[in-house]
Amino acid sequence: MFPGASADREEAEYVVVGAPLDVSTTFQPGARFGPERIRRFARTYDDYDARTDRHFSDLGVHDHGDVRAWDDAAEYLEYLEGVLTDVRWDDAVPLTLGGEHTVTIAGVRAVDPDVFVCLDAHLDLREEYDGNELSHATVTRHALDAADEALILGARTGSEAEYERAAEADVTVVPPESVGEWSPEFDADESVYLSVDIDGADPGFAPGTGTMEPFGLTPREMRDAVRDVADTGAVEGFDVVEVNDRDDGQAAALGGKLLREFVFADAAVADSDD
């Protein structure tokens, strides 16, 4: 169980769902261990958050456990989408723990947001990678099948074709050096899906990921971006993905902390609206 996720499902405002898919990872596999590691390395965090004056265990978080993965990605994503849709139908926010970034496709389909916001080193706008249309490198392109626009924070690499696609009006790329000055501006009725690919961080902070890319974001820049998006009150689905077991827990610790930051910030907004 994710530490503090002790709410009953019927009363939950947030539901953690592990999605240990690990079939298309290009370089360093091990994302299948991501959900377990994120839960394990979050055990050291205090339940109390001084910034919001709240306890995580009071925020209505339930842990569904893992949706065991198999090697048919299309079939798995369809099943996972159903699990996450059930969460939405229960008026809760799904918090998905990857798993490779491909699992985000299921989350986006379940939420059907207006805007897809992603912290990521990569554009992920490929039509296919090594002949695979459901590769982790195609996630943002798939997200745009549901969302009207995509905001990619911290991206610093991609193919020439991906950058040509990113130049179109429905994609905004904020490079790492500009993320600190970025602030979200959504229309009042727009819904948002927020995805955190842990490789958005510089690999010096989070080396346990499948495709490391230097010159990335600091943990504080990622925290501030997550808080800023959560503060809009527009997020209806959230995930942390691409954590693997190739480090001493740095990537998992950061992933778990960012999930908590999202929940604390989003819950504060929800309470202020009551």
Side-chain angles (χ1 to χ4, degrees):
M1 183 180 77
F2 191 90
S6 55
D8 292 335
R9 174 62 184 268
E10 294 76 15
E11 300 173 352
E13 301 290 337
Y14 305 88
V15 177
V16 175
V17 177
L21 185 70
D22 192 10
V23 296
S24 79
T25 304
T26 308
F27 297 105
Q28 296 194 103
R32 71 195 65 180
F33 303 112
E36 185 278 329
R37 285 176 70 81
I38 293 171
R39 293 182 177 104
R40 187 200 323 167
F41 284 92
R43 291 173 189 162
T44 61
Y45 300 141
D46 285 317
D47 190 52
Y48 178 68
D49 178 66
R51 188 179 76 94
T52 58
D53 190 25
R54 293 161 189 269
H55 291 82
F56 188 82
S57 57
D58 290 339
L59 299 181
V61 184
H62 173 81
D63 194 335
H64 174 87
D66 288 355
V67 177
R68 186 182 63 83
W70 57 92
D71 60 1
D72 186 326
E75 186 178 89
Y76 180 73
L77 292 178
E78 182 177 355
Y79 186 85
L80 179 61
E81 177 188 349
V83 173
L84 300 175
T85 298
D86 286 345
V87 174
R88 295 284 299 129
W89 287 352
D90 290 339
D91 294 324
V93 177
L95 308 171
T96 306
L97 304 179
E100 64 178 65
H101 206 168
T102 313
V103 302
T104 296
I105 297 172
V108 171
R109 289 172 177 170
V111 170
D112 192 23
D114 297 303
V115 184
F116 175 68
V117 181
C118 183
L119 281 77
D120 199 333
H122 309 90
L123 295 175
D124 287 350
L125 285 166
R126 297 175 189 265
E127 294 184 0
E128 52 84 20
Y129 192 86
D130 284 343
N132 182 4
E133 296 180 356
L134 285 177
S135 162
H136 65 97
T138 67
V139 170
T140 302
R141 181 175 287 272
H142 283 289
L144 284 166
D145 290 337
D148 296 329
E149 64 174 307
L151 303 173
I152 312 171
L153 311 179
R156 48 198 182 274
T157 189
S159 69
E160 182 176 0
E162 286 181 280
Y163 274 101
E164 290 174 353
R165 177 65 183 85
E168 296 182 23
D170 59 348
V171 179
T172 299
V173 178
V174 182
E177 58 271 23
S178 300
V179 169
E181 289 75 42
W182 177 82
S183 60
E185 295 179 359
F186 308 127
D187 293 339
D189 58 347
E190 284 187 320
S191 60
V192 173
Y193 188 95
L194 176 58
S195 177
V196 177
D197 185 328
I198 208 68
D199 71 23
D202 189 89
F205 297 109
T209 192
T211 310
M212 292 187 287
E213 186 69 30
F215 310 133
L217 300 171
T218 68
R220 286 178 182 168
E221 288 170 331
M222 297 182 78
R223 177 201 65 186
D224 291 348
V226 167
R227 284 179 179 172
D228 288 346
V229 176
D231 283 345
T232 66
V235 179
E236 298 185 359
F238 175 89
D239 65 51
V240 177
V241 298
E242 292 287 348
V243 171
N244 67 22
D245 61 341
R246 299 301 184 100
D247 66 5
D248 292 325
Q250 297 96 318
L254 177 58
K257 194 71 171 178
L258 292 174
L259 181 148
R260 286 167 46 99
E261 290 290 338
F262 167 74
V263 172
F264 279 121
D266 186 73
V269 173
D271 286 352
S272 67
D273 291 340
D274 291 341

